[in-house]
Amino acid sequence: MSLGATKYIGARIARREDLRFLTGRTRYVDDIRLPRTVHAAFVRSPYAHAGVQAIRTDRAAAHDGVVGTLTGEEVARLSRPIRGDSAWPGWKGTDFPVLAWPGVHFVGQAVAVVAAIDRYVAEDAAELVEVDYRPLPVVVDLETAAEPGGPLVHETWGDNLFLDRQGTFGDVDAAFAQADLVWQRTYRTHRHTGFPLEGRACIADYDPATGVLTLYSATQMPHLLRTGLADTLGLGEHDIRVIAPDVGGGFGIKSHLFPEEVAVCVLSMRLGRPVKWIEDTFEHLAASIHAREHVHRVQVAVKRNGTILGIKADVLVDAG
């Protein structure tokens, strides 16, 4: 098929979504109102690294307007953790629990969730959940984390390097031997986040009669989200519908399966009614996916006339 035979390449395509955005007729997740919906609020760790020895939800469950609670210990029996794996040689896979148990690995990690008749009641009840933490050593510096002998994020790894890759192209040592000068610099980029105007948001609606789970999510990847939910919840993909309404910004942050999405699905399946969660600003900054911190140590072999002969780079990336 020739290029000229296509309808779209090079054509001026009229935008179809402008009218509803400009006239305020958009439909975001929080605009969706389903009968019998309850609202979720998460209990989050104040510690970067700690063992979770006990979680007591009895006071929260007895609070007026609360319809259900869920802890990390309970959800571990009802779903599988999110798994991050790769075919790269040397990759160390990890489990990302839906709710942390028996330990937390970052400030803001969810350890329990409360569902109530509205978000205000859910937030109040979440403050009544009692968690016994056993603080553990932390490492907060990227370069220190990569050194042997420090605190481990995942004890079974033996170190904090989940992937160690090396590559050589050409005779680098010979290039440096011929250099008139070696220019050396260290570059650092800090952690940051896209921070869309609409935070993460989802509504899980499980129908006990049909066994079909519907998830409305502010996601950039509804099909992959469905696949991840099926794997985590032990359901067939044909039993899950993921609907992405209008999304108020994403920047890659909303292209993941998040533990909170799985947790509201488990709650909806347990309660037999829709469960809504709308992320607040604190939650986004503490518990969403951030961009990675980098440290690049670069050496460049050059001739005096400006010719670049070779480059050596030691790149350290914080993907935690």
Side-chain angles (χ1 to χ4, degrees):
M1 182 174 67
S2 67
L3 184 63
T6 65
K7 291 172 57 179
Y8 302 111
I9 295 178
R12 294 173 64 86
I13 306 299
R15 291 167 57 94
R16 300 191 301 171
E17 67 271 27
D18 287 358
L19 180 63
R20 71 176 191 275
F21 277 98
L22 293 173
T23 57
R25 297 175 182 175
T26 49
R27 190 170 187 248
Y28 299 100
V29 171
D30 201 25
D31 296 320
I32 298 171
R33 303 287 189 266
L34 301 179
R36 301 179 65 242
T37 295
V38 293
H39 299 257
F42 287 89
V43 180
R44 298 186 179 276
S45 168
Y47 295 96
H49 192 199
V52 179
Q53 298 176 308
I55 302 176
R56 291 179 290 276
T57 61
D58 48 331
R59 291 177 61 211
H63 189 70
D64 242 3
V66 171
V67 297
T69 64
L70 193 65
T71 67
E73 186 177 17
E74 292 173 314
V75 81
R77 298 193 294 265
L78 301 171
S79 67
R80 290 190 286 265
I82 299 170
R83 180 78 185 175
D85 272 328
S86 171
W88 279 104
W91 176 282
K92 298 174 184 174
T94 57
D95 288 336
F96 192 176
V98 175
L99 296 173
W101 181 266
V104 295
H105 292 89
F106 61 90
V107 171
Q109 187 170 11
V111 298
V113 60
V114 175
I117 56 173
D118 63 41
R119 179 63 181 259
Y120 297 99
V121 173
E123 292 278 4
D124 288 344
E127 293 183 1
L128 299 177
V129 175
E130 301 172 23
V131 184
D132 291 340
Y133 295 100
R134 178 172 57 86
L136 297 170
V138 300
V139 56
V140 296
D141 174 74
L142 169 59
E143 293 169 279
T144 302
E147 296 173 357
L152 299 178
V153 177
H154 302 286
E155 288 77 7
T156 58
W157 283 7
D159 57 32
N160 288 322
L161 299 177
F162 82 93
L163 184 61
D164 189 2
R165 294 171 53 192
Q166 299 181 7
T168 301
F169 306 93
D171 193 343
V172 179
D173 291 335
F176 271 74
Q178 300 170 33
D180 294 326
L181 298 167
V182 174
W183 180 84
Q184 181 172 311
R185 291 289 189 278
T186 298
Y187 297 97
R188 291 179 169 84
T189 64
H190 297 289
R191 296 181 71 91
H192 58 279
T193 181
F195 210 134
L197 287 177
E198 178 200 31
R200 295 178 294 161
C202 59
I203 305 171
D205 183 15
Y206 179 72
D207 185 347
T210 62
V212 173
L213 171 68
T214 301
L215 181 71
Y216 301 86
S217 176
T219 180
Q220 296 173 252
M221 39 151 248
H223 297 89
L224 291 178
L225 184 55
R226 180 182 63 181
T227 300
L229 284 173
D231 179 66
T232 306
L233 297 172
L235 299 176
E237 289 195 37
H238 60 280
D239 291 323
I240 300 174
R241 298 171 65 227
V242 175
I243 299 173
D246 291 320
V247 177
F251 317 113
I253 293 170
K254 295 177 181 175
S255 58
H256 304 270
L257 168 61
F258 285 98
E260 290 90 347
E261 291 170 314
V262 181
V264 297
C265 287
V266 173
L267 261 180
S268 181
M269 295 170 71
R270 169 181 276 191
L271 299 174
R273 59 193 299 178
V275 180
K276 175 186 280 192
W277 172 64
I278 306 297
E279 178 186 62
D280 64 26
T281 299
F282 166 79
E283 290 178 299
H284 182 84
L285 291 173
S288 66
I289 301 296
H290 292 181
R292 297 165 290 277
E293 180 182 357
H294 284 232
V295 176
H296 293 237
R297 300 187 184 93
V298 182
Q299 293 178 298
V300 183
V302 299
K303 301 293 285 186
R304 293 190 182 277
N305 64 5
T307 302
I308 296 176
L309 303 176
I311 297 175
K312 295 180 181 178
D314 181 19
V315 180
L316 193 59
V317 181
D318 182 357

